[in-house]
Amino acid sequence: MSDPNINNNNVNPPPKKSGGSSIALIVGGLVVAVIVLYWLFAGGSEVDNADVVGEETNINVETEAEGAAESIEDAGTAVVEEVEDAGAAVETEVEEGAAEIEEEAAEAEAEIEEAPADSTDTIEVEGDAEVVQ
């Protein structure tokens, strides 16, 4: 039947359940991170007006208006030159195209004048054919 010499002592006890302590640590870290980010983006702490001398604040912005006007003028001049160059190129192309068309028209007129007016073409047809005018 059963062997009385069997030792039922379990050497390895079951592991203890941690109950989610690592999840609590992660959630706590995220809450702290959100609070710090809110504090940074909300403006931090209030700043005293210790840096202001009197009630007036003067802000001087110095710009080179003449330099800016010159650069705008130079850019406008460059654009005008590019447009004029493009217009000249288009005009040249149109003139060349017109010259080619005139040459073709002259050649076509010459061919028409060379053809005899009374010439007739003869078409040979095998079998029965009707002539339709």
Side-chain angles (χ1 to χ4, degrees), residues 3-118:
D3 188 11
N5 294 329
I6 294 178
N7 186 1
N8 286 334
N9 290 338
N10 196 355
V11 178
N12 295 328
K16 295 180 182 179
K17 295 184 179 180
S18 63
S21 64
S22 61
I23 292 176
L25 181 64
I26 293 172
V27 170
L30 288 174
V31 168
V32 170
V34 168
I35 290 172
V36 168
L37 289 173
Y38 175 76
W39 181 75
L40 287 174
F41 289 116
S45 62
E46 293 293 323
V47 178
D48 295 332
N49 291 334
D51 296 339
V52 177
V53 178
E55 293 184 8
E56 291 184 24
T57 303
N58 293 327
I59 299 174
N60 294 326
V61 178
E62 296 179 15
T63 61
E64 295 183 23
E66 293 175 6
E70 288 175 4
S71 65
I72 291 172
E73 197 172 297
D74 292 342
T77 303
V79 169
V80 168
E81 288 175 0
E82 287 181 23
V83 169
E84 287 175 351
D85 291 343
V90 169
E91 187 176 343
T92 303
E93 264 187 64
V94 168
E95 289 174 357
E96 289 174 358
E100 288 178 14
I101 291 173
E102 287 178 4
E103 288 176 11
E104 290 176 6
E107 289 175 5
E109 281 183 25
E111 287 179 12
I112 291 172
E113 289 177 4
E114 289 177 2
D118 296 332

Side-chain angles (χ1 to χ4, degrees), residues 108-131:
E109 281 183 25
E111 287 179 12
I112 291 172
E113 289 177 4
E114 289 177 2
D118 296 332
S119 68
T120 56
D121 292 333
T122 306
I123 300 175
E124 294 181 18
V125 179
E126 293 181 15
D128 297 333
E130 291 183 28
V131 177

